Amino acid sequence: MALLTRISESFWSEDFWLPGNTTWADLEKDDGLTYPKFSDLYRPLFLSIIVFFMRFAFERWIATPLGRCLGIREGQSRPPPDNPILERQFQRSKSNKPLDKQILTDLGKQTDLSAREIERWFRMRRNAERPSPMVKFTESTWRFTYYVSIFIYGVAFLWQKPWFWDSTYCWRGYPRQDLTPDLYWYYMISLSFYWSLLFSQFVDIKRKDFWQMFIHHLATICLMCFSYTNNMVRIGSLVLVVHDAVDYWMEAAKMAKYASLQKLCDALFVVFTVVWFVTRLVLYPMKVMVPALFEPVAFLGPFGGHRPMCVLLVVLQMLHGIWFCMIVRIAWTALKKGKVDKDDRSESEEDDAPLDEDDDEHTRGESATRPRQRNGTRAK
């Protein structure tokens, strides 16, 4: 018990969390101000469960009917004909990469299929496991609705706050700064959503940047919890509003893509790219990250709680750089093709390639199920 007490005292050391000449008792005084409490951070965990169920209700009763009105396909792609040999190979190497030539040769000998027929079977098999356009549309519609709503709410109440225009107000009088109800709920709602994203990421559409997104959500949650605990909510609110300003553009572009509104998708993607660059590679480092690195030291002097915040802010900026490289790659591909093809982060987006005109019904279906006799002749 004594060991746990010492660990708790070390973790909550005032020398680490708070600037000089400040104690936790100062943040519990009845001086007319409301201060964050660490116990408040349990609420978003419970609220995230509500958000999780709200999402599924929204997708079922709002997003899906909207998708039907837009003519979005609901069913999954038709599976390929049963073939135990190809199925075993598929389970061993689930990948979008083309099969090795040697593997194709071996499979051809075992199944009496051509290389093109085998590749077609694997393509159809992968597509059969992928979610339908309707599933992807409803997910994007939910995220679009949240990001637009929280961005409007954030700008609406921050517009009247002095730190929205001058970041030095994030540190003037710190940590004795009032936690207003609008700022409190901005944190609680945002934390609930990011917790729900962290959990639902394991059941959502699989993407190539799964671990980058996981680290991003985790870093965001850690940054928010840390900033809330030691009342750095003002700088935290600036981080949130900068991130919320761009996300809904990407979700809108994806919604247009799934609805086959290609020109609208292209236009929205251009807007998204510009807004991303301005907010996350210009405004975030210049107006949020860099001031947060140096202004607290100028106003308060060095203190331990400032360093973890700096690390988390820099991690977010590094992720911004990685994602922008991916965005540029998508944009470059779109320029060459004349359209935005798909979300390059997704491993679940591969269109059904049309069958060649010279493929007859025998090639389409029965050829993939034909067994091969040991003497090399086909079974009749």
Side-chain angles (χ1 to χ4, degrees), residues 158 161-174 177 231-239 242 283-300 309 313:
L158 285 173
K161 307 298 183 181
W163 67 86
F164 186 69
W165 307 101
D166 183 357
S167 61
T168 61
Y169 281 94
C170 293
W171 313 109
R172 296 182 183 183
Y174 176 82
Q177 297 172 340
N231 204 19
M232 292 183 179
V233 289
R234 293 186 176 184
I235 192 66
S237 65
L238 297 182
V239 174
V242 167
L283 290 179
Y284 175 78
M286 292 181 60
K287 299 295 184 180
V288 180
M289 187 183 72
V290 173
L293 295 180
F294 300 103
E295 288 178 352
V297 178
F299 277 87
L300 308 167
M309 183 195 69
L313 291 174

Side-chain angles (χ1 to χ4, degrees), residues 24-42:
W24 291 116
D26 295 331
L27 302 183
E28 297 176 355
K29 292 180 179 178
D30 186 14
D31 52 5
L33 301 178
T34 301
Y35 298 112
K37 297 179 180 179
F38 182 76
S39 58
D40 294 341
L41 297 176
Y42 292 110

